[in-house]
Amino acid sequence: MSKPVIAVVDDQSFICDMVSRILKDDYEVHTFTRGESMLKYMETRDVDLFLLDYDMPEKTGYECLLGIRSSKLNKAKPTVFLTAETNQRMREEMIGRGADDYLVKPLDAIKLRECIKKHLLALRRDDGHA
């Protein structure tokens, strides 16, 4: 059985590397430092879950979320923001705009794994696989 595919987008490559190291044993992790690169990748690839930095140059995490939600292949896939922004209003705004969850940096490996498992389990249940 193949591993679930996770796409990580963060303009700071060390964050991409850290997330990849945390998740590589259980997931197929693809990292991108530009939102445009991830959006191009997901046009032809079924992704199980997206982890998006909110504040990025060129394409913000929110713009990436809009691209994901307009995708035929990936529009219903869980999308989690990774951000240094601790403001509760920002969290509510992102969830209200279609994100599935919101994790604050610096990342906690245990919380990251739990969040991903929760959303992938819900996705499988919605697809009738649980």
Side-chain angles (χ1 to χ4, degrees), residues 41-90:
Y41 168 82
M42 66 143 213
E43 287 175 4
T44 58
R45 184 68 193 260
D46 190 15
V47 175
D48 294 293
L49 185 137
F50 295 90
L51 296 172
L52 307 174
D53 181 20
Y54 179 75
D55 188 21
M56 296 185 290
E58 297 176 34
K59 257 205 198 309
T60 67
Y62 179 64
E63 290 170 317
C64 290
L65 175 64
L66 292 176
I68 293 164
R69 294 299 183 241
S70 67
S71 160
K72 289 181 181 178
L73 190 58
N74 292 295
K75 67 180 169 190
K77 300 302 173 70
T79 304
V80 177
F81 276 106
L82 308 176
T83 182
E85 180 64 56
T86 60
N87 181 324
Q88 181 64 25
R89 185 190 59 74
M90 175 68 85

Side-chain angles (χ1 to χ4, degrees), residues 12-121:
Q12 297 178 338
S13 59
F14 77 92
I15 297 288
C16 289
D17 293 343
M18 179 180 66
V19 171
S20 186
R21 280 193 311 274
I22 291 169
L23 302 177
K24 70 180 179 180
D25 291 340
D26 299 313
Y27 305 100
E28 181 182 326
V29 181
H30 297 271
T31 61
F32 305 89
T33 55
R34 295 179 55 240
E36 195 61 51
S37 300
M38 182 278 302
L39 291 171
K40 187 168 181 62
Y41 168 82
M42 66 143 213
E43 287 175 4
T44 58
R45 184 68 193 260
D46 190 15
V47 175
D48 294 293
L49 185 137
F50 295 90
L51 296 172
L52 307 174
D53 181 20
Y54 179 75
D55 188 21
M56 296 185 290
E58 297 176 34
K59 257 205 198 309
T60 67
Y62 179 64
E63 290 170 317
C64 290
L65 175 64
L66 292 176
I68 293 164
R69 294 299 183 241
S70 67
S71 160
K72 289 181 181 178
L73 190 58
N74 292 295
K75 67 180 169 190
K77 300 302 173 70
T79 304
V80 177
F81 276 106
L82 308 176
T83 182
E85 180 64 56
T86 60
N87 181 324
Q88 181 64 25
R89 185 190 59 74
M90 175 68 85
R91 175 185 175 87
E92 291 169 2
E93 181 180 333
M94 290 301 98
I95 299 296
R97 288 181 168 190
D100 294 286
D101 219 327
Y102 186 100
L103 295 173
V104 177
K105 296 177 192 174
L107 290 174
D108 176 309
I110 293 170
K111 286 182 181 177
L112 177 62
R113 286 190 200 102
E114 287 173 352
C115 177
I116 290 170
K117 284 181 185 177
K118 173 181 78 172
H119 289 292
L120 290 179
L121 180 61

